Amino acid sequence: MPQAHAVTGPATRPVPDRRRLVGIALMCGAVASFASLDACGKTLAGLGVDPLVSTFMRYAVNVALITLVLNPVRHPEVVRSRRLTLQVLRSLLLFGTTALNFLALRYLQLAETVSIQFAAPLAVALLAGPLLGERSSRDRLAAIAVGFLGVLVIVRPGLGTVHPAVLFSLGNMVCYAFYVILTRKLAAHDSTRTTLFFSGLSGLAVMLPVLPWIWSSPATPQVWALLVGIGLIGTFGHWLLILAHARAPASVLAPFIYTQLVWSVTLGFLVFGDVPNGWTLVGAMIVIGSGLYLLAQEAGRRARPEAG
């Protein structure tokens, strides 16, 4: 991982690394895109479009654009994976994440779904031990437990005030956690271009056989625009994400993922008139606080060997 550095000006005052600032701006643009993607999915659900149709269009447009850019005919190396089974499984998990999220958005506010999704890094930290061999300290495990307590505050099981669709959102969070784990595993075997090429293929393959049973031709140009927009916005967001990580370390970018909550609350209010309740905001703050604590711990752990 690139190390932090600063440029010294005439007055020997440290100047922020501009590449990192650009990386942070790109990350904020990526999460704004993902919040917009959720808003499009919820709008389409409100117009009567099956969430699985939205999922299909998300991947159909994505695969078309990625194939056009990477051009596997001229660059056949992008389709050669050393861990094909893991690539297929990772792609299926990404499909599950998208489908479950669109199903949840049919009934839940944007702020509710994104707050539950924020628990995914906590699940990754918990699963990293048995699946990646990364040991967790007691402080780390305590932070994970507090974060999942925040999720319970959001969903409030047993109180009869939350829609059962939170199960879709929880399933989305679990799928995304395993997706991240497999992405980290594949980084040691396949190139980023190969992993990017495979990302949507399995999801598209799953959707094609069922498409005749769920497809209904969009009734208006607005619906067509939103369906195509889902694919364009999702692909654009992931492209910004890649550009951001090329310019700044993950540890610098990670805290800015949580700005998606601001976008989700804003879009939820402006587009749907939704105002998140106090429990959702309190739970979100607990989850975000736990995630930031884990990030700070990880940054300290990486810095200690350098200090020595």
Side-chain angles (χ1 to χ4, degrees):
M1 183 177 291
Q3 301 303 315
H5 65 279
V7 180
T8 304
T12 68
R13 179 180 299 174
V15 177
D17 184 337
R18 290 191 177 183
R19 280 182 61 84
R20 291 191 175 206
L21 293 177
V22 171
I24 290 169
L26 289 167
M27 173 60 82
C28 291
V31 298
S33 298
F34 297 145
S36 300
L37 175 67
D38 288 349
C40 286
K42 187 171 178 64
T43 300
L44 284 166
L47 293 173
V49 177
D50 191 314
L52 291 179
V53 172
S54 299
T55 302
F56 167 76
M57 289 298 295
R58 163 73 178 88
Y59 287 110
V61 175
N62 174 264
V63 169
L65 288 174
I66 294 300
T67 301
L68 183 65
V69 172
L70 296 182
N71 196 343
V73 175
R74 293 183 59 185
H75 304 282
E77 69 278 1
V78 301
V79 303
R80 297 176 189 145
S81 171
R82 296 184 180 92
R83 302 295 298 274
L84 183 58
T85 302
L86 287 185
Q87 284 286 7
V88 171
L89 182 56
R90 174 186 173 276
S91 182
L92 287 173
L93 286 167
L94 183 59
F95 162 74
T97 296
T98 304
L100 289 168
N101 188 46
F102 283 159
L103 286 167
L105 285 168
R106 196 172 192 172
Y107 307 101
L108 304 179
Q109 294 183 5
L110 296 178
E112 287 179 296
T113 59
V114 76
S115 297
I116 295 172
Q117 288 168 23
F118 283 160
L122 305 174
V124 170
L126 187 63
L127 294 168
L131 297 181
L132 297 176
E134 299 178 5
R135 297 173 59 186
S136 294
S137 65
R138 290 183 179 179
D139 288 350
R140 189 177 179 86
L141 291 173
I144 293 170
V146 170
F148 284 121
L149 177 63
V151 174
L152 292 177
V153 170
I154 296 169
V155 302
R156 303 184 301 286
L159 297 185
T161 58
V162 177
H163 199 283
V166 296
L167 294 175
F168 292 136
S169 204
L170 289 170
N172 162 33
M173 182 266 291
V174 172
C175 283
Y176 186 73
F178 280 103
Y179 163 80
V180 171
I181 292 286
L182 288 189
T183 300
R184 287 166 61 173
K185 274 183 168 290
L186 284 165
H189 304 283
D190 290 345
S191 69
T192 302
R193 286 159 61 90
T194 297
T195 299
L196 188 63
F197 177 77
F198 277 96
S199 289
L201 286 179
S202 295
L204 189 60
V206 169
M207 289 301 307
L208 283 174
V210 301
L211 191 62
W213 305 98
I214 62 173
W215 179 264
S216 60
S217 186
T220 65
Q222 178 195 11
V223 175
W224 270 116
L226 286 169
L227 285 171
V228 174
I230 273 184
L232 293 175
I233 293 170
T235 303
F236 181 65
H238 280 283
W239 179 60
L240 291 180
L241 200 63
I242 292 169
L243 292 178
H245 281 279
R247 288 162 174 77
S251 58
V252 171
L253 298 174
F256 294 92
I257 293 172
Y258 296 115
T259 60
Q260 186 172 345
L261 180 61
V262 177
W263 287 106
S264 295
V265 170
T266 303
L267 288 172
F269 177 73
L270 293 178
V271 179
F272 308 105
D274 291 337
V275 178
N277 62 49
W279 289 109
T280 298
L281 294 178
V282 169
M285 293 304 104
I286 294 173
V287 172
I288 291 172
S290 299
L292 291 175
Y293 177 79
L294 288 176
L295 286 170
Q297 263 202 340
E298 181 66 14
R301 185 181 67 81
R302 290 178 179 273
R304 279 193 291 271
E306 297 168 16

